[in-house]
Amino acid sequence: MTKAKHHDYFKAIANYIKHTYQLEVDQSGKDVSRACFLAEDAGAFINPKYL
């Protein structure tokens, strides 16, 4: 079994976002030296302008 690498996770998440939300992910985030966080906030306000 091969260990997944940062690039593999990035591609998987970018693919999910593209197919689920029809959005292109900024490819500069695939650089492992950049911080990447996923926030969770069930009460977050999402501006309808960006939906």
Side-chain angles (χ1 to χ4, degrees):
M1 183 157 111
T2 311
K3 284 187 175 182
K5 303 211 184 298
H6 172 79
H7 183 71
D8 299 324
Y9 286 111
F10 181 87
K11 284 179 16 180
I13 293 169
N15 187 47
Y16 171 79
I17 291 172
K18 182 176 184 176
H19 287 90
T20 304
Y21 303 105
Q22 291 74 47
L23 295 172
E24 290 294 328
V25 173
D26 180 1
Q27 294 296 305
S28 67
K30 67 182 174 187
D31 181 0
V32 72
S33 66
R34 291 182 162 218
C36 179
F37 303 96
L38 295 176
E40 180 180 344
D41 183 353
F45 171 78
I46 300 176
N47 188 333
K49 174 181 173 183
Y50 298 106
L51 293 178

